[in-house]
Amino acid sequence: MKTTLFKFHSRPRAFTLVEMLIVVTIIAMLAALTLGGYTYAMRSSKRRLTTGTFEAIKLALERYNSEFGEYPQPAGSNQMMPFPPGTAAYDISGAACLYQALTGDGYDQIKGVTAASSSSAGGGSAGGSSDGKVEGTAEIKNKMFVEIPQTIFTKKGSTYILIDGFGHPFQYIKAALPSTTTGSGSSGSGSSGSGSGTTTATTINSTYDLWSYSEDEQNTTKQSINTLSDPTLSVKWIKNW
C-alpha cells in the first residue's frame, strides 16, 4: 500500500495592530521612566551644586564683614535680564555685587566703593568694572574666595555675576540700616530731646538675604520680603531665612 505524504508550508505570522500598539506603549513608558529619572538626577545635582556654592558665599560674606566691618551693598537694583532656557527675567544686581565683593575683580557694582577707596574694598581695574581677572594689590586684598571655579560665575552682557547650579544669578540684598533723625526741643531743665525713625524693612534677616530661585521660573520677580506674606513663593528656593 502506497502512502502519500502531504507537506504544508505555514506562512509567518505578522504582528497585529493591537500587538504593535502594546509594544509602542511599553517602549514609550520605559522611555518616560528613563527620562524622568534622568531629569530628577540632573535637578538634584544642580541643587547640590547650588547649596555648596550658597554655603561658600555665606562664609565669604562673613570674611568680607570681618575685613571691612560691613556687608557689601549692591550699587543698583532691578537690573533685569532674561536667562535661558525659558524667558524668565532675573535681577543680576545682587549677583554682580557678590562677584566683585568676593573675588576682588572690580568695584563699580558695590555701593559706596570708589576709585579712592578701592584699595580697601573692591578691585583696581579701570573704571571699576570687572574684567574676569584678579590682579594687583587692591584686588588681591579683596579676594574672599581662595579659588573661584568657572561653574559659579558667568558674564551676562558686560557684567560678571555669581550663578547657581541652574545657571541663574544668585539674589542678594543687604539689610537697610535704621535711619536716625534727631530733633531738639526745650524742656523745663533746658535739655534737648531726640527722636529716632526707622526705614522700611527690605529684608527678612537683619544682615542680608541671600537666595537662589533654584528650579522655580515662575516667581523670579519676587523678593525675599514677599515671602513673609506668602511663604508658598519660596517652596523651591534655597535661602538663608
Side-chain angles (χ1 to χ4, degrees):
M1 181 177 180
K2 186 176 179 181
T3 302
T4 304
L5 299 177
F6 295 93
K7 294 183 179 180
F8 296 92
H9 299 280
S10 60
R11 296 176 59 187
R13 179 174 176 271
F15 285 110
T16 65
L17 179 60
V18 173
E19 290 172 330
M20 287 294 292
L21 289 175
I22 292 174
V23 171
V24 171
T25 302
I26 292 174
I27 293 175
M29 291 175 62
L30 290 174
L33 289 172
T34 302
L35 181 60
Y38 174 77
T39 301
Y40 175 80
M42 287 298 295
R43 184 168 61 248
S44 297
S45 176
K46 290 177 180 180
R47 285 190 69 90
R48 285 195 298 270
L49 175 59
T50 301
T51 300
T53 307
F54 189 89
E55 294 302 321
I57 290 174
K58 287 169 60 179
L59 290 174
L61 282 170
E62 294 308 316
R63 290 183 60 192
Y64 186 100
N65 184 47
S66 297
E67 181 72 28
F68 303 111
E70 62 179 350
Y71 294 101
Q73 181 173 351
S77 62
N78 294 320
Q79 301 178 39
M80 307 301 293
M81 298 193 76
F83 281 76
T87 58
Y90 297 78
D91 184 4
I92 67 169
S93 54
C97 172
L98 288 174
Y99 171 81
Q100 290 190 345
L102 305 184
T103 66
D105 179 21
Y107 57 86
D108 63 332
Q109 299 293 330
I110 310 172
K111 187 174 182 178
V113 179
T114 62
S117 60
S118 63
S119 60
S120 60
S125 57
S129 60
S130 303
D131 58 7
K133 302 176 182 178
V134 180
E135 53 192 9
T137 305
E139 292 190 324
I140 295 298
K141 177 179 176 59
N142 197 38
K143 189 175 181 180
M144 301 301 151
F145 280 134
V146 177
E147 291 185 9
I148 178 168
Q150 293 284 337
T151 55
I152 71 170
F153 76 95
T154 190
K155 188 177 184 182
K156 191 67 174 177
S158 60
T159 307
Y160 285 87
I161 60 174
L162 290 188
I163 56 175
D164 59 20
F166 295 83
H168 302 146
F170 276 100
Q171 302 297 306
Y172 168 77
I173 301 177
K174 180 183 178 182
L177 295 176
S179 62
T180 302
T181 57
T182 303
S184 60
S186 59
S187 62
S189 60
S191 61
S192 60
S194 62
S196 63
T198 57
T199 60
T200 302
T202 57
T203 58
I204 296 175
N205 295 311
S206 60
T207 51
Y208 63 84
D209 288 352
L210 174 69
W211 73 96
S212 159
Y213 290 113
S214 191
E215 66 265 40
D216 183 5
E217 295 187 358
Q218 303 299 318
N219 300 301
T220 59
T221 60
K222 300 299 183 181
Q223 300 294 310
S224 55
I225 199 72
N226 299 135
T227 65
L228 288 179
S229 57
D230 186 3
T232 62
L233 293 175
S234 60
V235 169
K236 296 181 179 180
W237 301 3
I238 296 173
K239 52 192 185 293
N240 72 333
W241 67 87

